[in-house]
């Protein structure tokens, strides 16, 4: 089994992880954990985590906790991912500020996700206050992950986002505004929300509101200007129809 999990063909590794998870046995714990730290394929890593969730939590969790302090970034990231899959609320205390602020983007992104899953009731606001400190960080993928994590916390993030939206750092302010737009309307695409937020930050709230009002006004005038033409066309069409009917008679 150990050899198969290290096979060159990723499909072999995937099938092996599936087989181990389908026949859970604590004897495989160490091998699964070690493989999580080095497995290059995303789908295989996810299957390895699933196989770990199939083992008794009292056996798996202490070993996963050790990986949270690993020097290997993938080991830390995958251990966090496995915690989110197990979903044991008692492990909330293991999610430290250092993890939420980890210098490695992938570790930090995973920590944000698992924190939202495990946060106890009543502590969501404190978590939101911590997560907003990461606004403006990284590329689009990192920022989208943070926005989703914050949005999943619900209305409790509103005040923290309002403060961040007034930041002197344009990247932080725009990211905060984009996150609030997503919270209000989850159907809004992140790129659209971020572009709109950047425009608001660049113009300032008053000028952005004025520009939006002007655009709305222009749209109304265009609609009204089109009305007479449409009415005239309708009247001419009605007259033509009447003439045609009279000819047929």
């Amino acid at each position: 089994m150990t050899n198969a999990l290290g096979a060159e063909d990723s499909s072999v590794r995937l099938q092996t992880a599936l087989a181990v998870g389908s026949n859970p046995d604590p004897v495989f714990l160490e091998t699964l954990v070690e493989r999580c730290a080095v497995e290059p394929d995303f789908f295989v890593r996810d299957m390895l985590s699933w196989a770990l969730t199939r083992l008794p939590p009292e056996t798996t969790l202490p070993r996963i906790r050790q990986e949270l302090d690993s020097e290997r970034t993938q080991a830390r990231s995958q251990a966090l991912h496995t915690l989110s899959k197990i979903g044991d609320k008692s492990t909330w205390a293991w999610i430290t500020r250092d993890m939420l602020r980890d210098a490695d983007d992938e570790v930090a992104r995973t920590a944000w996700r698992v924190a939202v899953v495990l946060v106890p009731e009543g502590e969501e606001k404190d978590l939101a206050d911590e997560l907003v400190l990461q606004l403006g960080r990284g590329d689009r993928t990192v920022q989208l992950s943070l926005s989703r994590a914050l949005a999943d916390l619900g209305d409790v993030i509103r005040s923290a986002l309002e403060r961040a939206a007034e930041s002197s750092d344009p990247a932080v302010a725009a990211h905060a505004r984009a996150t609030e737009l997503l919270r209000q309307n989850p159907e809004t695409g992140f790129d659209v929300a971020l572009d709109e937020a950047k425009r608001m930050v660049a113009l300032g709230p008053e000028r952005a509101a004025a520009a939006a009002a002007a655009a709305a006004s222009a749209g109304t005038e265009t609609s009204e200007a089109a009305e007479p033409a449409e009415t005239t066309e309708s009247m001419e069409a009605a007259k033509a129809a009447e003439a045609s009917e009279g000819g047929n008679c």
Side-chain angles (χ1 to χ4, degrees):
M1 188 274 288
T2 301
N3 290 336
L5 283 175
E8 184 176 350
D9 189 339
S10 62
S11 64
V12 172
R13 302 197 303 274
L14 183 67
Q15 290 299 318
T16 304
L18 174 62
V20 173
S22 300
N23 301 276
D25 188 327
V27 73
F28 297 134
L29 173 62
E30 191 63 30
T31 301
L32 290 171
V33 171
E34 282 297 320
R35 189 63 204 174
C36 278
V38 297
E39 172 55 52
D41 186 276
F42 168 82
F43 296 104
V44 178
R45 287 200 305 273
D46 204 44
M47 190 65 75
L48 290 168
S49 282
W50 172 77
L52 284 167
T53 67
R54 300 275 291 161
L55 298 175
E58 61 272 18
T59 301
T60 308
L61 290 175
R63 181 62 184 87
I64 292 176
R65 185 174 188 177
Q66 295 176 31
E67 292 296 284
L68 295 177
D69 297 322
S70 174
E71 294 182 356
R72 296 178 292 187
T73 56
Q74 183 170 304
R76 299 200 303 276
S77 176
Q78 201 62 25
L80 286 165
H81 177 65
T82 304
L83 284 183
S84 72
K85 294 292 187 181
I86 295 174
D88 189 321
K89 295 286 187 177
S90 69
T91 61
W92 162 249
W94 302 356
I95 311 303
T96 65
R97 289 186 175 183
D98 286 343
M99 292 177 191
L100 298 173
R101 303 176 182 182
D102 199 287
D104 184 87
D105 286 340
E106 193 57 38
V107 174
R109 290 175 63 210
T110 312
W112 301 337
R113 290 196 300 269
V114 70
V116 171
V117 171
L118 298 178
V119 63
E121 185 176 353
E123 295 191 34
E124 295 91 347
K125 186 177 184 302
D126 290 339
L127 176 58
D129 289 341
E130 175 62 34
L131 292 183
V132 295
L133 298 177
Q134 302 299 310
L135 286 168
R137 170 180 174 169
D139 59 14
R140 176 190 179 280
T141 301
V142 175
Q143 294 190 9
L144 175 58
S145 291
L146 182 58
S147 290
R148 284 175 172 169
L150 284 165
D152 284 344
L153 289 174
D155 291 345
V156 72
I157 68 171
R158 183 183 303 170
S159 60
L161 288 178
E162 287 176 351
R163 293 192 300 271
E166 301 303 321
S167 172
S168 58
D169 185 333
V172 172
H175 194 184
R177 291 177 184 276
T179 303
E180 176 60 15
L181 289 173
L182 285 178
R183 187 189 71 81
Q184 294 178 6
N185 184 8
E187 299 301 319
T188 303
F190 180 69
D191 292 330
V192 173
L194 189 57
D195 286 345
E196 174 63 15
K198 288 179 178 178
R199 186 180 69 85
M200 292 176 67
V201 170
L203 291 175
E206 293 182 2
R207 291 176 62 191
S217 176
T220 302
E221 290 175 1
T222 301
S223 175
E224 290 175 351
E227 243 179 73
E230 291 173 358
T231 304
T232 301
E233 289 175 1
S234 298
M235 290 177 64
E236 291 178 351
K239 289 180 181 179
E242 288 177 3
S244 175
E245 289 175 1
N248 290 337
C249 291

